[in-house]
């Protein structure tokens, strides 16, 4: 009835009049049909209740794709134009994370760490065998987070920035801004890490070169038009990743704040078997060094959370299989590092690990629910495309 009324109005009023179709728009397909019938625009009412706040974005994407699908595609920018630098930054983060993991699982302390402390690792072990294990736990979780960040940056560059996707640019630049700014947390704990500073000095120009000449282009992938069962299932998966992103952000901010203030939580001191006062009395440089590890990990975790949250909010779409694989491979290093090192050193306090267990649950459920919408539908579209090309 709505479509018929719009058609009759368009025939009666001609092209000079503006027709706004209101009501009955619950999915992008409804909006496209009304616009094809003669409406100039559509209003959303109950559709926002039944389809959620993402409906305007989905409709806009469907309209844009309908208008550009037969136009000439933009030539992607060259590797060195902008997106390639972010890809290199991501690779650099991955390499740095692997090296940090190797160091944290072997010597733990670097030579300049021992110089700062004024004692060697063997001396620390003789005083308390849990201190080095505790520092290894912080540094390996940081290393895993760095690898996860690198995977996200590399993927967002190759598939997002290269294609001119605005949400990908927002995700990666915001995440980088947070990550580089977290370096200055050292002002709160008083330990300047020369290796961290060197890495930041090398990677920062790559971010600046990435921002040079970035342009936004609409996606040329067919968007989802229907609120079918696969889409409804994907909404729960998307919700899992949005909640995961916000949870990691809260965790990162909390860890950073603790790192530059109290440094330890109660379960940390129970594991070590000493109070903060006893640690400071034995070596007054030890707590600033541990604080540096804690605050650095918190800043990296918050940076990763920004990338995950932005990708989950704006990047989830039908057939976007590359983003699903980014979620999968980008989450594995961080969760693997966080869980394995706790098991390895025997730091198994349930309350301490409960946020990690919840995060892993959200991660697994989200991947499971999103797979049909983001990956299976991509394969179906590819088969349909090849069939059409043959005909």
């Amino acid at each position: 009835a709505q479509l018929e009324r719009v058609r009759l109005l368009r025939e009666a009023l001609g092209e000079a009049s503006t027709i706004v179709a209101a009501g009955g728009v619950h999915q992008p397909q409804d909006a496209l049909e009304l616009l094809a019938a003669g409406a100039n625009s559509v209003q959303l009412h109950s559709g926002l209740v039944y389809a959620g706040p993402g409906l305007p974005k989905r409709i806009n994407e469907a309209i844009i794709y309908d208008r550009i699908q037969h136009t000439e595609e933009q030539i992607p920018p060259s590797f060195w134009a902008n997106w390639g630098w972010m890809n290199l930054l991501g690779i650099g983060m991955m390499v740095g994370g692997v090296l940090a993991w190797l160091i944290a699982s072997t010597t733990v302390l670097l030579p300049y760490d021992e110089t700062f402390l004024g004692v060697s690792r063997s001396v620390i072990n003789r005083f308390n065998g849990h201190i080095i294990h505790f520092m290894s736990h912080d540094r390996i979780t940081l290393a895993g987070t760095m690898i996860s960040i690198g995977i996200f940056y590399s993927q967002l560059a190759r598939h997002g920035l290269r294609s001119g996707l605005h949400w990908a640019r927002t995700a990666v630049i915001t995440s980088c801004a947070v990550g580089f700014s977290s370096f200055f947390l050292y002002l709160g704990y008083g330990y300047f890490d020369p290796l961290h500073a060197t890495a930041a000095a090398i990677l920062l120009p790559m971010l600046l070169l990435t921002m040079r000449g970035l342009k936004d282009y609409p996606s040329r992938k067919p968007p989802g038009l229907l609120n079918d069962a696969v889409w409804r299932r994907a909404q729960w998966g998307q919700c899992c990743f949005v909640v995961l992103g916000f949870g990691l952000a809260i965790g990162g901010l909390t860890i950073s704040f603790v790192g530059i203030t109290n440094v330890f939580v109660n379960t940390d001191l129970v594991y070590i078997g000493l109070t903060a006062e006893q640690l400071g009395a034995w070596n007054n440089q030890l707590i600033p060094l541990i604080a540096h590890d804690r605050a650095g990990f918190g800043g990296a975790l918050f940076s990763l959370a920004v990338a995950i949250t932005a990708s989950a909010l704006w990047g989830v779409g039908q057939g976007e299989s590359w983003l699903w694989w980014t979620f999968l491979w980008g989450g594995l290093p961080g969760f693997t590092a966080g869980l394995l090192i706790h098991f390895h050193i025997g730091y198994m306090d349930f309350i301490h690990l409960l946020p990690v267990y919840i995060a892993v649950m959200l991660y697994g459920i989200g991947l499971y629910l999103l797979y049909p919408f983001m990956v299976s539908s991509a394969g179906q579209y590819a088969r349909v495309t090849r069939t059409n090309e043959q005909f």
Side-chain angles (χ1 to χ4, degrees):
Q2 174 89 319
L3 287 170
E4 186 61 28
R5 184 171 299 176
V6 170
R7 290 192 190 100
L8 290 174
L9 282 171
R10 179 55 66 200
E11 291 175 1
L13 299 175
E15 296 298 326
S17 300
T18 298
I19 299 175
V20 179
V25 182
H26 287 190
Q27 57 188 2
Q29 183 65 46
D30 298 333
L32 291 179
E33 290 175 354
L34 286 169
L35 294 173
N40 297 94
S41 59
V42 297
Q43 285 186 359
L44 302 181
H45 299 282
S46 57
L48 290 171
V49 176
Y50 292 101
L55 182 59
K57 175 178 178 290
R58 295 172 61 210
I59 291 176
N60 285 334
E61 289 173 347
I63 293 172
I64 291 172
Y65 175 76
D66 187 61
R67 293 177 179 177
I68 70 168
Q69 60 177 318
H70 299 300
T71 62
E72 185 177 353
E73 188 172 354
Q74 294 285 340
I75 299 175
S78 67
F79 182 88
W80 301 111
N82 40 55
W83 69 270
W85 292 105
M86 181 53 61
N87 190 32
L88 291 177
L89 194 157
I91 293 172
M93 290 289 294
M94 286 186 271
V95 172
V98 170
L99 292 176
W101 196 320
L102 290 174
I103 294 170
S105 59
T106 53
T107 62
V108 182
L109 296 178
L110 291 165
Y112 61 79
D113 292 330
E114 294 185 342
T115 301
F116 176 76
L117 293 173
V119 295
S120 65
R121 169 180 168 161
S122 59
V123 173
I124 297 174
N125 277 329
R126 285 196 296 271
F127 171 68
N128 184 297
H130 282 166
I131 294 176
I132 292 295
H133 284 162
F134 182 78
M135 295 181 70
S136 174
H137 136 273
D138 276 347
R139 295 190 171 195
I140 285 182
T141 49
L142 171 60
T145 304
M146 288 174 61
I147 297 173
S148 291
I149 292 173
I151 292 172
F152 264 90
Y153 286 0
S154 182
Q155 285 287 91
L156 288 171
R158 290 177 56 213
H159 299 279
L161 299 184
R162 187 183 184 191
S163 300
L165 301 182
H166 179 79
W167 71 263
R169 178 172 67 169
T170 302
V172 79
I173 291 180
T174 306
S175 176
C176 283
V178 169
F180 281 106
S181 299
S182 68
F183 170 77
F184 295 99
L185 290 173
Y186 82 90
L187 296 172
Y189 51 74
Y191 175 60
F192 183 85
D193 185 342
L195 185 60
H196 190 173
T198 301
I202 293 173
L203 296 177
L204 181 59
M206 296 182 186
L207 171 62
L208 299 178
L209 289 169
T210 298
M211 298 170 64
R212 179 189 57 181
L214 282 175
K215 294 181 180 179
D216 294 339
Y217 298 107
S219 174
R220 303 188 75 89
K221 292 183 179 179
L225 301 178
L226 305 175
N227 296 349
D228 53 16
V230 174
W231 173 82
R232 287 194 295 272
R233 169 176 166 169
Q235 296 308 288
W236 289 105
Q238 184 180 20
C239 180
C240 285
F241 271 98
V242 171
V243 173
L244 173 62
F246 275 101
L248 293 178
I250 294 171
L253 289 173
T254 302
I255 294 169
S256 292
F257 180 75
V258 170
I260 60 176
T261 54
N262 298 327
V263 184
F264 302 102
V265 294
N266 290 334
T267 56
D268 298 333
L269 297 173
V270 169
Y271 171 77
I272 295 173
L274 296 170
T275 65
E277 290 74 18
Q278 289 172 323
L279 288 170
W282 182 74
N283 188 316
N284 61 1
Q285 302 286 62
L286 185 60
I287 291 182
L289 180 60
I290 295 175
H292 148 266
D293 294 341
R294 315 227 79 186
F297 168 57
L301 185 62
F302 185 65
S303 178
L304 175 62
V306 170
I308 291 175
T309 305
S311 299
L313 281 172
W314 304 314
V316 171
Q318 185 170 347
E320 298 287 356
S321 58
W322 70 269
L323 184 57
W324 188 90
W325 289 107
T326 302
F327 284 142
L328 173 64
W329 297 114
L332 281 178
F335 287 127
T336 301
L339 288 174
L340 288 184
I341 187 58
H342 281 88
F343 296 150
H344 178 70
I345 68 173
Y347 189 176
M348 296 300 298
D349 184 87
F350 178 76
I351 299 300
H352 179 75
L353 287 175
L354 182 59
V356 183
Y357 296 146
I358 295 174
V360 171
M361 180 185 69
L362 290 170
Y363 170 72
I365 294 174
L367 287 173
Y368 172 74
L369 293 174
L370 285 172
Y371 186 86
F373 184 68
M374 299 182 71
V375 181
S376 297
S377 58
Q380 294 169 2
Y381 168 70
R383 288 193 293 272
V384 171
T385 302
R386 286 195 296 269
T387 303
N388 292 339
E389 289 175 350
Q390 291 172 359
F391 281 106

